[in-house]
Amino acid sequence: MNSIKSESTRSRKGRGAVSNTDSRYSEHRRETMDDGWLVNESADSRVPTIVHRDTSRTIVATNRSPDVPFDQSINPYRGCEHGCIYCFARPTHAYLDLSPGLDFETRLFYKPDAARLFLAALSRPGYRCRVIALGTNTDPYQPIERRFGVMRSILEVCAHTRHPIGITTKSSRIEKDLDLLQDLARDNLVSVSISVTTLDTTLARKLEPRASAPGRRLQAIERLAVAGIPVSVSVAPVIPVLTDPEMETIMAEAAARGAGSAGYILLRLPREVKDLFKEWLREHYPHRAGHIMSVIRQSRQGRENDAAFGRRRRGTGVFAELVAKRFRLAARRLELDGGPPGLNSQSFRRPGAQMGLDL
């Protein structure tokens, strides 16, 4: 293993990851070391966002995971500028020979041909209409959506073909597409889940630095509900000790603004995310880091991550069971336990050649 000095492991303003750990597929590995020359480096040094074209030839991904309620999804972007330190999608950047650390939130990829590829997939004779999920990997409404509009182009295809879609986001930018969402909602073709991790703005700025502020997400829930769009709140991830005390308050605030259902996911730390999260804890919450990681291990079969289906989203053990019970009680009390609505797959219109030309 070749070792060279990497950048200082200090937080960057507006970024979540503290460092830029190498891809696990890289030929070389970098190790951070302090040789005395980094003392005066600014902790607020900025890392620019660089956006590349993604030349993928397909757009609809499929999965067979038994613990998620969908089997098709679309990711308009690779990487995510929101910079959430806990994001379980970070390790996917290693497939691009990039770091799951800072690269994941600063080296982004957009799919300019998303609408055309989506139409092509829907046009295939054997295609069977089923709900397509967006936002299950990286956020479709991250800041670069304002520039590239890939998510809106996908929604336009859904509106033309009357295809059902489920959206998960932590961005108020979704309000820009209210016109298309209302059109889809009239035929029961869309549901939205707004993710709220914490109501503490100071914590949110460190935890998910470029996502919408917690208050704006609650406002987005209200505006979607008023517009007649089915909306739920996702308390995700629930981070032991750090955010779990807020679960009931988040649910209550969301219910007061019109959320119709709720869900939660216990923090997951797959692959490189484990070390990135621990590094983040040491930087921002050093006195609580040991306690937080101890409870995480208690909830993950004694490990820092448990990827087993049926356990990865909820965890096991006393703490995980307590969180599950608290969630059930709060959901019942707040009338958030009905689950999201089933969407309509009967209105789907297979696209023809002319529709492809129009778009």
Side-chain angles (χ1 to χ4, degrees), residues 315-331:
T316 58
V318 175
F319 177 82
E321 291 170 2
L322 178 60
V323 169
K325 183 176 181 179
R326 287 170 51 199
F327 176 83
R328 286 194 301 270
L329 291 173

Side-chain angles (χ1 to χ4, degrees), residues 226-297:
V226 168
I229 298 157
V231 58
S232 64
V233 62
S234 177
V235 188
V238 174
I239 302 175
V241 181
L242 195 61
T243 69
D244 84 83
E246 297 185 71
M247 175 188 282
E248 291 87 347
T249 305
I250 292 170
M251 294 170 68
E253 291 289 340
R257 287 163 174 79
S261 60
Y264 81 96
I265 300 174
L266 194 65
L267 176 69
R268 295 171 53 194
L269 297 175
R271 294 188 179 273
E272 293 90 345
V273 183
K274 294 191 294 292
D275 291 334
L276 289 166
F277 182 73
K278 289 189 289 184
E279 188 176 59
W280 180 89
L281 281 176
R282 290 193 297 269
E283 175 76 12
H284 296 289
Y285 297 96
H287 301 299
R288 305 175 72 182
H291 185 197
I292 292 168
M293 292 307 303
S294 175
V295 179
I296 288 172
R297 288 190 292 271

Side-chain angles (χ1 to χ4, degrees), residues 18-36:
V18 177
S19 66
N20 212 30
T21 181
D22 296 280
S23 159
R24 58 186 176 278
Y25 302 114
S26 294
E27 181 180 353
H28 304 287
R29 294 288 184 271
R30 294 173 294 170
E31 293 180 359
T32 300
M33 54 181 289
D34 185 357
D35 57 3

Side-chain angles (χ1 to χ4, degrees), residues 44 174 191 201 242 263 267 281 316 337:
D44 288 340
I174 192 173
S191 65
T201 55
L242 195 61
L267 176 69
L281 281 176
T316 58
D337 55 347

Side-chain angles (χ1 to χ4, degrees), residues 163-233:
H163 197 292
I165 190 170
I167 302 169
T168 300
T169 183
K170 52 172 60 71
S171 175
S172 61
R173 196 173 303 278
I174 192 173
E175 296 170 7
K176 300 295 183 182
D177 289 336
L178 275 179
D179 57 334
L180 291 171
L181 295 172
Q182 283 181 301
D183 176 38
L184 291 166
R186 278 192 286 270
D187 286 339
N188 189 30
L189 294 169
V190 65
S191 65
V192 175
S193 177
I194 301 293
S195 175
V196 183
T197 314
T198 177
L199 298 177
D200 183 335
T201 55
T202 300
L203 172 57
R205 278 195 295 268
K206 299 173 183 177
L207 193 64
E208 39 201 24
R210 297 200 177 189
S212 295
R216 278 295 286 120
R217 292 182 231 177
L218 293 174
Q219 188 178 58
I221 289 175
E222 184 171 19
R223 289 181 176 175
L224 289 165
V226 168
I229 298 157
V231 58
S232 64
V233 62

Side-chain angles (χ1 to χ4, degrees), residues 50-125:
I50 301 171
V51 184
H52 309 272
R53 291 172 62 94
D54 185 316
T55 57
S56 298
R57 297 182 179 180
T58 59
I59 192 71
V60 179
T62 59
N63 77 83
R64 298 180 179 178
S65 302
D67 55 355
V68 294
F70 61 88
D71 61 3
Q72 327 188 90
S73 62
I74 292 177
N75 294 302
Y77 303 101
R78 291 190 182 187
C80 187
E81 198 174 5
H82 282 163
C84 306
I85 189 58
Y86 51 74
C87 183
F88 63 80
R90 282 183 177 272
T92 62
H93 241 44
Y95 302 141
L96 305 173
D97 201 26
L98 293 171
S99 171
L102 284 169
D103 280 350
F104 178 79
E105 51 196 278
T106 62
R107 299 284 297 277
L108 311 179
F109 295 78
Y110 77 103
K111 301 180 180 181
D113 296 325
R116 180 182 62 80
L117 293 170
F118 190 20
L119 275 171
L122 300 183
S123 300
R124 294 188 185 117

Side-chain angles (χ1 to χ4, degrees), residues 5 33-39:
K5 186 186 78 172
M33 54 181 289
D34 185 357
D35 57 3
W37 292 98
L38 300 177
V39 174

